[in-house]
Amino acid sequence: MSRFPYDAVVFDLDGTLCDAEKGIVSSVRVAMDRLGCPIPSGVDLRVVVGPPLRDTFRDLLGVPEDRVEQAMALYREDFDTRGRFLYSVYPHIRQLLRMLRAGGVHVALATSKPKKLATDILDWFGLTPLFTIVMGELDGPEKLGKPELIRRALPDGCGHPVMVGDRKFDVLGAKAAGVASIGVAYGCGSVEELRQAGADVIVHTTRELCQVLCPGATAPRGFFLTVEGPDGSGKTTQVDRLERNLRQFGFEVRRTREPGGCAISEAIRGIILDTKNMEMCDTCEALLYAAARAQHVHQVIRPAVENGELVLCDRFVDSSVAYQGGGRELGVETIQRINAPAVEGMLPDATLYLAIDHREALGRRLAASAPDRLEMQDTGFHSRVQQAYERLIGENPERFLVVNAAQDRDAVEKDALEAVVCRLAALEQR
């Protein structure tokens, strides 16, 4: 039995789970432009998020009745191919869904969107497995309406159900279905709209929504994601893009790097990479990496993961194994032993590896800027680094997500995002 106040929670999609304004509004503009109909003066297009699409074009935008179907078709064509990818999941929503699911709560979706489209959006964000049921509107002219969608989303015998939405349609639908309602003022509806509709509770932020639905609950454990690859594999570019995309998908991202990530570790990084320190012996280098890592894990990585964040780290212990164990020929097992107390069991949940031949990668890197102390090593060194990485991948196939980094940047970004989200979505279900 859940300790939470509601045993069934039904969510609206647009403006409640996802910030849909950019995607929907832009597709409405495209449809009206292609239809040759100007948008009426003074219309606030934010209000198109929520009500049925037919009502939006006919009643709000003044499209003649005999052209409404054409307007809807133009909208859907643009939305399906472009607009829906402009959505973003609100912060803390993923954590909220995980907490409800872990608490045994029936988690449902009731949206005026067609069911297939709603499911496609949830699938894209990797959220579908966190829902017990997804209810969407019928595709034909006959519609179920919000009250009926809510009723069908609820299980038999639930004692304390609630509907969560950002517009009056959600609140009024909940009343008609005989369930309580929570209005969220961070979406497209105003506090006044929700109050006039009779929302039982109004919240202003997703954090406040978490507190109402899951009082006293602690955030579920976050994730530790590392990115590895030879110098010149495009790692910095892809980490930038991955961070942006993961934030759009609703993950609470803490970006960091190695060596570095905190003041003490950054100071050690400066010593390691400084070209003035060419006399540094291999063992000293390996121990400095481990020292920087120990502080980084203690001060940044472990606390953030335990706080429910996704730590995105540019390099971790695999780099030491590859560069010092393989490249410096100190031995893979030796480097793993040196780093054991530094890592202290804090291993990545997943590691994205950007696979590319070391010669092509280093050529890219040297064409971009002056090399650091490690990048100045000979070809044999970088060959051994690549071989060590390949050994690690072979020994840990369940952890490594390997992406072909010899492709163009956009293709690498797409493959990396798909692989990472698929893995993280699977971890969220545990």
Side-chain angles (χ1 to χ4, degrees):
M1 179 67 70
S2 170
R3 68 184 185 279
F4 298 148
Y6 304 101
D7 57 358
V9 180
V10 182
F11 289 96
D12 176 48
L13 179 61
D14 299 341
T16 302
L17 298 177
C18 298
D19 185 347
E21 180 181 339
K22 185 177 181 181
I24 292 176
V25 168
S26 64
S27 290
V28 165
R29 288 187 182 278
V30 167
M32 294 293 284
D33 181 64
R34 292 178 179 173
L35 199 66
C37 293
I39 295 172
S41 177
V43 170
D44 179 4
L45 284 181
R46 291 182 75 245
V47 301
V48 306
V49 182
L53 192 59
R54 181 181 301 277
D55 296 348
T56 291
F57 283 114
R58 184 189 60 222
D59 302 334
L60 179 69
L61 300 177
V63 174
E65 184 67 43
D66 61 350
R67 303 194 70 191
V68 168
E69 288 294 334
Q70 183 184 1
M72 292 171 63
L74 290 170
Y75 169 88
R76 285 173 177 154
E77 178 184 358
D78 183 76
F79 186 81
D80 288 350
T81 58
R82 184 190 63 85
R84 70 186 181 93
F85 297 107
L86 301 178
Y87 272 44
S88 60
V89 179
Y90 285 117
H92 311 116
I93 288 297
R94 302 191 81 99
Q95 290 184 354
L96 171 59
L97 295 175
R98 291 175 66 195
M99 287 189 290
L100 290 170
R101 184 175 181 273
V105 176
H106 175 92
V107 182
L109 183 80
T111 175
S112 296
K113 276 185 164 46
K115 181 177 179 178
K116 183 182 182 305
L117 178 55
T119 302
D120 286 346
I121 292 170
L122 294 180
D123 285 346
W124 167 246
F125 288 117
L127 292 173
T128 304
L130 297 178
F131 286 86
T132 310
I133 186 172
V134 174
M135 285 302 306
E137 267 294 5
L138 304 176
D139 283 325
E142 296 297 323
K143 299 300 178 185
L144 296 172
K146 200 74 174 196
E148 183 61 22
L149 288 168
I150 295 171
R151 292 188 193 101
R152 295 191 183 194
L154 292 171
D156 294 334
C158 61
H160 301 283
V162 67
M163 172 71 200
V164 183
D166 70 313
R167 298 298 308 277
K168 63 182 180 183
F169 313 100
D170 305 309
V171 176
L172 295 174
K175 285 185 177 298
V179 304
S181 62
I182 298 175
V184 299
Y186 56 77
C188 291
S190 66
V191 171
E192 185 59 28
E193 175 186 334
L194 295 169
R195 183 178 293 118
Q196 287 185 358
D200 296 293
V201 178
I202 296 177
V203 298
H204 298 82
T205 66
T206 51
R207 281 195 184 278
E208 191 178 350
L209 180 62
C210 291
Q211 293 165 359
V212 170
L213 292 176
C214 305
T218 57
R221 180 189 181 277
F223 306 105
F224 183 22
L225 173 65
T226 58
V227 181
E228 297 281 356
D231 293 307
S233 59
K235 197 163 43 55
T236 300
T237 296
Q238 293 305 324
V239 171
D240 285 343
R241 295 186 179 195
L242 188 57
E243 178 187 14
R244 181 192 67 229
N245 288 328
L246 289 173
R247 290 188 188 281
Q248 181 186 358
F249 276 55
F251 291 98
E252 307 295 307
V253 181
R254 172 77 67 93
R255 180 172 172 178
T256 188
R257 68 175 182 175
E258 286 211 345
C262 56
I264 292 173
S265 302
E266 288 289 338
I268 297 174
R269 176 189 179 93
I271 296 171
I272 294 173
L273 299 181
D274 194 335
T275 56
K276 296 177 182 179
N277 295 330
M278 298 301 293
E279 73 279 8
M280 183 185 300
C281 75
D282 297 346
T283 302
C284 177
E285 178 184 277
L287 291 169
L288 284 174
Y289 272 111
R293 182 163 298 121
Q295 186 65 28
H296 189 206
V297 169
H298 170 76
Q299 187 174 341
V300 177
I301 296 174
R302 191 183 303 279
V305 172
E306 291 177 350
N307 191 46
E309 298 175 62
L310 187 158
V311 174
L312 175 61
C313 190
D314 184 343
R315 296 201 182 281
F316 192 57
V317 70
D318 294 316
S319 284
S320 288
V321 172
Y323 280 82
Q324 282 71 56
R328 299 296 192 198
E329 300 183 278
L330 294 178
V332 167
E333 290 78 11
T334 298
I335 299 303
Q336 288 172 332
R337 286 196 299 271
I338 288 174
N339 279 274
V343 171
E344 201 177 3
M346 195 69 209
L347 294 175
D349 293 298
T351 297
L352 176 67
Y353 180 72
L354 301 177
I356 186 173
D357 182 78
H358 66 92
R359 287 160 292 200
E360 180 181 350
L362 194 59
R364 288 181 180 181
R365 178 67 184 87
L366 296 179
S369 62
D372 62 33
R373 193 175 64 83
L374 286 179
E375 292 163 347
M376 293 172 67
Q377 302 304 308
D378 60 26
T379 301
F381 171 88
H382 292 287
S383 177
R384 292 191 296 273
V385 168
Q386 182 173 332
Q387 291 170 14
Y389 268 130
E390 290 169 353
R391 172 181 167 180
L392 283 169
I393 293 167
E395 293 174 347
N396 303 275
E398 72 291 340
R399 175 165 64 87
F400 277 91
L401 309 172
V402 181
V403 169
N404 177 13
Q407 307 174 86
D408 66 77
R409 292 177 177 180
D410 291 345
V412 176
E413 176 186 4
K414 178 178 179 294
D415 289 351
L417 180 61
E418 287 180 358
V420 167
V421 170
C422 182
R423 177 63 56 84
L424 294 177
L427 292 172
E428 283 181 320
Q429 297 176 54
R430 294 182 180 176

